[in-house]
Amino acid sequence: MNDTSRERPSVLVPEKENDLTGFARSPALTVLIALACGILADAYNPLSLGEWISFSSLAAFLWCLAFYQKRNTVSACLLLVLLFCMGGLRHHIFWFSHAPNHISRIFDSRLNTEDASHLVRVTGVVNSTPQTKIPDDEEQFNPDQPQQRTTLILSCQKLNAGQAKLPVSGNVLVTIYDPADPGKSAPYSMGDTIEVCGKLKRISGRRNPRDIDFRQYYHKQQIEARLTVQSSEAILVTAQTADWSWNAVRHHLHDSVRQNILRHTSGESQGVALALLLGDRSSLSPEVRQNFSRSGLVHFLAISGLHIGFFSVAVWSLCHVFNLPRKTAVGLLVLAIGFYLSIIEIRPPVLRAASFCILVVLGLINWRTITTVNLVCISALIILLINPTDLFDPGTQLSFLAVAAILWTVQQDFYQKPFAQAWIPLRWQILASDPVLQTPLQGILLRLFRMFYSVFLITMMIWILTAPLVMFYFNLLAPVGLLINTLIFPFLFLVLSLGYLLIFVGPFLPWGTNLFGYCFDSSLSMLLGIVDFTAKIPGGHYELPSPPIWWLIGYYTFLLLAVSPIKIRNAVFSPVWLRKTRLALAPCWMIGGLLLPIMVPDRPALNCTFIAVDHGAAILIEAPAGHTVLYDAGSMTPVNQTYDKIRKTLLEHGIRRVDLLLISHADRDHYNAASRLIENQYVRAVGFPGAFLEHRQPGAVELSELAENTPLPVDLISKGDRLDLGSGALLQVLHPSLTDVFEEDNPASLTVLISYRGRKILLPGDLDGKGLQNLLAHMSPGPIDVLLSPHHGSRTANSRELAEWASPDFVIVSGGKPQNIPYLKHVYSPETTVYTTATDGAVNCRISSDGHLTVQTFRTWATLAH
């Protein structure tokens, strides 16, 4: 062998010529990448509108010049630059540009807070189907007088603010509160022109690091404000939509299909049926949503490519049965897809699947060769041109990742030739190679194996590609989905088939409606049983903290490198060794990312995080020795929102279970999420004062019964109790004592003092009245560094006596009313800093091992050190 062969440089060559040929025939992919890069550039480093227009015009002029001079390479590069600029321009217009009379401009810059509201009368057109929901008892502010919420989107036309009557544009989210009346329907519908009188305010943004950013969520739908209406009597219908209009016809079709589904389903099956067939998930209970997520079947609840694809296959097969001409079949399929889209909620996965199917069938008219990658990229381009912010939508990202996994998997030899794999027994290989050797039973078994094998491969590849992103957005890893999606795949198609027969065929067959409805309802009941069983399998799902962005980028980079159709020829390392190394990069990166937080521990410190839960309280205490305490867990917002805020905060801090949950008193805004935390095993022990059992509120009774029925230690906490948190951290109970008796629950609030390295944090709950007097009658423990403002910053609880007794450096208001902040600044010392979670977001207090105190807020990222 010639020695000079060892000195050959490394080169890149294609593994398969067809791979690069197929890539070269996908110009839509290059266009999509250029457009997406422009959107990303404007999202993270926005230019002005004039700059984007100037750059786009210059790129267009240079491209035309190069194209005219037939400089192909230069013109191709300039075309990509033009597409990049067009992507940035489209995103900037969508995200930043508003008309001069846009309704968001009503918010004066001097009153630019989320809680600042304006009483206005708005005239506009109802732009969405009104959704009415009666919250559960645990979500009602007053269960004795339950209310229902109706939400709709209003396209504004006129605005009355005081004496002025101005033309306005833009959309607002309208929420109407009424006494609960299940049999009453809204007197307005989509397309009607109405006058609404209510309070207009900004949509709130994130208050905790892992919260859903509702401001951005609605901004992506071009909704900039929220209008709260206290009664439907404040709404006047000035013009009803014409019976022959598109909105009226669409609303009638949607309502007819919805009523048909509700008539033939029962119980929890109704919510699942509406989600499966119409994309309406408003009727799904939180428990059902949670079980579908934990079982790995949550994708089945959202109309996506699975639903549209199967619907298209069913219609195309029906046309084939009747031997219709190809052009006629294509026309019927396009009309069928259009009709289905008219009665469902259109989201990016639906639009992607529908455009994909329509492009496929249109290509079939002339028997043209169809490049799948091109079709997918064209679908993505359509979505991004309509709404460029869908590039950052989790549903869109997961949808296209799933499509990419499917496209790559079906092109591999291990998928196309399952019986040619080395691990398949030789007898099976011989039988599969020649149908003559197969008995009827063997033929059926081989086909079943091929089907389940194919479904498992596709499911596994989709899971590998989407699992990190699901964990990032939803803090959930569900490996059980690999198994359950494979086993019940035929059953899922059966459920969808029965549903489509019910809504599309049943109305034309008098005997078919009841038959299809009964079978559909029964199949949904079976599906719910399977989902409930799967969600409870030990080890089937894990709730984990979100991985960092850099880890996600590394994971997908190594995954792309592993599946890329190129290989490195090198004289030192063999191609087989390099290929194995390349395939091992992604798993090693995944394991390393999970072990890194364990191998690099934080410096010892005591952390106290005041979670922003609106009007309520939830304070997480992390001791330097690793002990964790959660003081209160509730708010006036719906239970699921409160629970989700607390759960995400715990996971963000790497906590799967708190050692102790302390509940200060029996007000729902301090404990309404406690039951959910206990049920989902986020708590190891529970403690509350004896007065918690004396105030017989329904929620307190249910929580006490749940604690008794759950194998958790339950302790009664009283004055004098001490909890050693390790490493010098101490938790002391200052109030109430076992003998204290109060007529109300606020004076009996559990008051605790956390001490570490000479620093003190006082948490008094809603302490006021006689209970506050009892506390102040005792000697002060010394200057308090951080004080939780009692009773959410109320004037009665925050007295000068308390200010002198505690002498706090920082006062934290959990929720409360921002208008009380000036009063608190007046009552406490001028050197006292006052924060409120309502405007500053979550507040973190960190005491280091040398006694250094740092207070940091989430909204302002302000850091004060003492």
Side-chain angles (χ1 to χ4, degrees), residues 269-340:
S269 298
Q270 290 184 337
V272 178
L274 293 175
L276 290 181
L277 301 179
L278 297 180
D280 180 8
R281 290 178 282 182
S282 60
S283 300
L284 286 172
S285 67
E287 291 76 14
V288 171
R289 289 173 182 258
Q290 178 178 271
N291 288 340
F292 268 90
S293 297
R294 291 178 171 179
S295 63
L297 290 172
V298 69
H299 62 90
F300 194 55
L301 292 178
I303 295 181
S304 59
L306 176 68
H307 305 69
I308 300 295
F310 179 73
F311 176 76
S312 302
V313 170
V315 174
W316 187 261
S317 300
L318 190 63
C319 295
H320 182 71
V321 169
F322 288 100
N323 199 23
L324 297 177
R326 180 171 294 274
K327 292 186 177 181
T328 303
V330 168
L332 288 175
L333 179 56
V334 172
L335 289 176
I337 294 175
F339 174 78
Y340 190 36

Side-chain angles (χ1 to χ4, degrees), residues 496-815:
L496 280 176
S497 300
L498 293 172
Y500 291 143
L501 287 173
L502 172 64
I503 63 176
F504 294 120
V505 180
F508 301 100
L509 298 176
W511 55 269
T513 303
N514 292 331
L515 175 62
F516 297 145
Y518 174 79
C519 295
F520 182 54
D521 188 41
S522 301
S523 64
L524 287 180
S525 299
M526 293 177 61
L527 177 63
L528 285 169
I530 295 171
V531 168
D532 184 61
F533 171 78
T534 308
K536 296 178 181 178
I537 295 177
H541 70 277
Y542 301 93
E543 294 185 356
L544 302 170
S546 300
I549 293 290
W550 59 265
W551 184 89
L552 277 179
I553 295 175
Y555 177 83
Y556 285 110
T557 300
F558 290 135
L559 204 61
L560 183 63
L561 181 63
V563 302
S564 59
I566 56 176
K567 66 179 181 180
I568 301 176
R569 286 181 180 174
N570 193 286
V572 179
F573 303 103
S574 66
V576 176
W577 187 90
L578 288 173
R579 181 176 176 81
K580 290 181 178 180
T581 303
R582 190 174 64 175
L583 293 175
L585 286 175
C588 292
W589 184 260
M590 178 180 292
I591 296 173
L594 295 176
L595 295 179
L596 185 63
I598 301 175
M599 298 172 62
V600 184
D602 293 334
R603 296 182 61 185
L606 185 140
N607 280 283
C608 184
T609 304
F610 296 78
I611 306 172
V613 288
D614 296 316
H615 186 91
I619 297 98
L620 175 63
I621 304 157
E622 303 169 82
H627 297 286
T628 54
V629 177
L630 182 63
Y631 179 87
D632 280 340
S635 75
M636 284 297 186
T637 54
V639 135
N640 294 315
Q641 295 182 19
T642 309
Y643 164 73
D644 204 47
K645 291 175 185 290
I646 298 174
R647 178 184 68 89
K648 288 185 175 181
T649 300
L650 294 177
L651 293 175
E652 184 72 12
H653 289 242
I655 301 170
R656 186 54 184 84
R657 286 189 184 183
V658 293
D659 297 312
L660 178 63
L661 169 62
L662 292 176
I663 300 175
S664 62
H665 62 294
D667 276 352
R668 68 181 296 271
D669 59 327
H670 288 257
Y671 72 87
N672 73 330
S675 298
R676 197 65 55 84
L677 290 168
I678 294 173
E679 290 172 352
N680 290 285
Q681 301 179 357
Y682 275 93
V683 177
R684 286 194 174 96
V686 181
F688 41 71
F692 184 83
L693 300 176
E694 295 177 4
H695 298 279
R696 308 299 292 178
Q697 297 188 25
V701 174
E702 292 178 4
L703 179 61
S704 301
E705 292 177 351
L706 175 64
E708 290 179 1
N709 297 329
T710 306
L712 290 179
V714 179
D715 296 321
L716 292 180
I717 310 296
S718 62
K719 179 180 178 181
D721 290 343
R722 299 162 64 93
L723 178 62
D724 185 4
L725 300 178
S727 300
L730 181 66
L731 185 148
Q732 299 172 266
V733 180
L734 304 184
H735 177 82
S737 64
L738 286 175
T739 58
D740 289 339
V741 178
F742 303 97
E743 294 181 0
E744 298 179 351
D745 50 3
N746 282 352
S749 291
L750 183 67
T751 303
V752 299
L753 179 70
I754 299 105
S755 306
Y756 180 65
R757 295 294 186 262
R759 299 289 188 173
K760 298 180 178 65
I761 300 175
L762 183 65
L763 307 177
D766 279 357
L767 188 67
D768 63 5
K770 186 178 178 181
L772 181 59
Q773 295 175 8
N774 290 352
L775 178 67
L776 299 180
H778 292 81
M779 182 179 296
S780 171
I784 302 298
D785 295 281
V786 180
L787 169 67
L788 170 66
S789 178
H791 207 177
H792 314 287
S794 73
R795 294 172 178 263
T796 57
N798 292 267
S799 60
R800 288 196 178 274
E801 292 79 9
L802 174 63
E804 295 173 358
W805 184 86
S807 300
D809 291 327
F810 295 92
V811 173
I812 314 297
V813 182
S814 184

Side-chain angles (χ1 to χ4, degrees), residues 3-314:
D3 293 337
T4 59
S5 63
R6 297 181 181 180
E7 299 177 358
R8 290 182 303 172
S10 300
V11 294
L12 297 179
V13 298
E15 286 185 354
K16 293 183 180 179
E17 185 178 354
N18 291 336
D19 288 337
L20 291 182
T21 303
F23 182 81
R25 294 177 181 175
S26 304
L29 178 61
T30 308
V31 173
L32 176 62
I33 292 174
L35 192 76
C37 288
I39 294 173
L40 286 170
D42 187 70
Y44 292 104
N45 189 21
L47 303 178
S48 66
L49 181 62
E51 289 173 329
W52 279 121
I53 293 176
S54 300
F55 289 141
S56 299
S57 302
L58 179 61
F61 173 76
L62 294 176
W63 173 71
C64 292
L65 187 63
F67 183 78
Y68 177 76
Q69 295 180 354
K70 297 182 179 181
R71 297 184 178 182
N72 297 333
T73 303
V74 176
S75 64
C77 294
L78 289 172
L79 181 59
L80 293 179
V81 174
L82 175 60
L83 291 170
F84 174 88
C85 295
M86 294 301 294
L89 177 62
R90 175 68 185 112
H91 179 269
H92 194 91
I93 292 174
F94 185 93
W95 189 258
F96 296 104
S97 300
H98 289 312
N101 64 343
H102 196 272
I103 194 166
S104 63
R105 301 186 186 277
I106 191 176
F107 300 103
D108 188 83
S109 59
R110 294 169 297 175
L111 197 61
N112 193 20
T113 64
E114 293 176 358
D115 293 276
S117 60
H118 303 262
L119 183 62
V120 298
R121 180 179 294 275
V122 181
T123 302
V125 179
V126 179
N127 203 21
S128 66
T129 302
Q131 300 285 343
T132 301
K133 181 180 180 181
I134 300 178
D136 298 332
D137 290 343
E138 60 183 3
E139 299 183 14
Q140 296 283 356
F141 182 80
N142 183 1
D144 296 330
Q145 297 179 353
Q147 285 190 319
Q148 66 184 24
R149 295 194 300 263
T150 302
T151 56
L152 56 90
I153 298 174
L154 187 69
S155 182
C156 303
Q157 296 177 337
K158 298 178 182 179
L159 171 69
N160 290 9
Q163 300 298 324
K165 188 173 184 180
L166 306 171
V168 292
S169 61
N171 299 323
V172 296
L173 178 68
V174 182
T175 305
I176 305 118
Y177 293 91
D178 282 308
D181 187 357
K184 185 179 180 180
S185 59
Y188 36 81
S189 60
M190 185 175 178
D192 291 348
T193 302
I194 61 175
E195 284 187 1
V196 186
C197 183
K199 289 186 176 180
L200 187 72
K201 62 192 306 185
R202 291 186 182 275
I203 296 176
S204 61
R206 289 193 301 168
R207 292 192 175 100
N208 298 288
R210 296 303 304 175
D211 278 355
I212 298 174
D213 194 335
F214 285 104
R215 177 176 294 174
Q216 287 198 8
Y217 173 78
Y218 285 110
H219 188 56
K220 292 175 182 178
Q221 305 174 47
Q222 297 190 317
I223 300 172
E224 299 292 340
R226 183 192 302 271
L227 187 64
T228 303
V229 184
Q230 295 302 322
S231 172
S232 58
E233 295 180 358
I235 297 178
L236 175 65
V237 180
T238 60
Q240 291 185 332
T241 182
D243 295 338
W244 46 265
S245 67
W246 166 245
N247 284 331
V249 173
R250 185 174 183 269
H251 175 73
H252 177 73
L253 290 173
H254 176 86
D255 190 59
S256 298
V257 174
R258 177 185 172 88
Q259 293 302 321
N260 188 28
I261 294 173
L262 294 178
R263 280 195 301 269
H264 295 91
T265 53
S266 58
E268 291 185 338
S269 298
Q270 290 184 337
V272 178
L274 293 175
L276 290 181
L277 301 179
L278 297 180
D280 180 8
R281 290 178 282 182
S282 60
S283 300
L284 286 172
S285 67
E287 291 76 14
V288 171
R289 289 173 182 258
Q290 178 178 271
N291 288 340
F292 268 90
S293 297
R294 291 178 171 179
S295 63
L297 290 172
V298 69
H299 62 90
F300 194 55
L301 292 178
I303 295 181
S304 59
L306 176 68
H307 305 69
I308 300 295
F310 179 73
F311 176 76
S312 302
V313 170

